[in-house]
Amino acid sequence: MSTSEIDASVQAELNRLRESIDNIDAAVVHMLAERFKATQQVGRLKADHQLPPADPARETRQITRLRQLAQSANLDPAFAEKLLTFIIAEVIRHHERIAEEAGNGTATTGQV
Amino acid sequence: MSTSEIDASVQAELNRLRESIDNIDAAVVHMLAERFKATQQVGRLKADHQLPPADPARETRQITRLRQLAQSANLDPAFAEKLLTFIIAEVIRHHERIAEEAGNGTATTGQV
């Protein structure tokens, strides 16, 4: 193969991989949109029924489970844990907004 | 309904939502495991063919696209962008390791 043929084949492979990455990113965005719909329902349910907002035991179970899933999928468990923590921080931000809108001024954390 | 019946129905609804959240988290972990497989192939491809590691134009396109997808899925575009940045930081960490293992000592950033 000439250099330009090699270049073209490498570029084609790079494009193929990037298309997969883009498809995966779209899937993740849509999964997370669905996740926030669920956590917002949890937030409202807890607010309506005066349930304690935080549930540390639930969070511990989630982290343990995600680390195990990551390990079996050959993903760094520490990364999976950091990612969950990152998402939970956003959930808490949402719940604070729900609480503010409900006018009770109490930050409802932990509906994760 | 008695108080305990309400409690049971609220708890059942909470459990139902949490099961969905757990299913979504498992899906996201598996999607990201697949994403890292693809970015590692990109890293190797670029290293093998001495392609420039960074591609800022690609990253800009990815962020623009993800923000649009997030908007249409009713997910905060700023959150989607933060998430992509968070994942890219991990990709860069992987690529630095690949580069170290290849012994060229050059951090290969940007295969995202």
Side-chain angles (χ1 to χ4, degrees), chain A:
Chain A
M1 280 200 284
S2 73
T3 308
S4 71
E5 277 169 339
I6 294 169
D7 286 354
S9 108
V10 169
Q11 191 58 51
E13 177 69 358
L14 190 59
N15 291 347
R16 193 189 62 76
L17 288 164
R18 285 179 165 177
E19 279 172 20
S20 292
I21 292 166
D22 289 347
N23 283 342
I24 291 169
D25 285 347
V28 169
V29 160
H30 287 93
M31 294 309 287
L32 290 179
E34 202 57 31
R35 192 190 198 280
F36 282 115
K37 281 172 63 180
T39 52
Q40 277 176 334
Q41 278 183 273
V42 170
R44 262 180 249 118
L45 199 66
K46 288 194 166 185
D48 289 349
H49 297 276
Q50 286 86 45
L51 293 172
D55 190 342
R58 154 86 174 148
E59 198 176 319
T60 303
R61 282 196 307 274
Q62 279 177 293
I63 288 172
T64 305
R65 177 176 168 273
L66 266 203
R67 288 186 67 102
Q68 285 167 346
L69 283 173
Q71 197 124 38
S72 73
N74 204 19
L75 182 72
D76 180 4
F79 172 74
E81 180 171 345
K82 271 192 289 178
L83 183 80
L84 184 65
T85 307
F86 179 81
I87 294 171
I88 288 174
E90 183 73 5
V91 170
I92 289 170
R93 210 172 63 75
H94 285 198
H95 288 161
E96 285 170 346
R97 204 168 48 207
I98 292 174
E100 276 166 27
E101 283 165 7
N104 63 22
T106 310
T108 57
T109 59
Q111 289 91 342
V112 291

Side-chain angles (χ1 to χ4, degrees), chain B residues 91-106:
Chain B
V91 171
I92 289 171
R93 209 173 64 75
H94 286 197
H95 288 161
E96 283 171 347
R97 203 168 50 208
I98 292 174
E100 275 166 28
E101 284 165 7
N104 62 21
T106 310

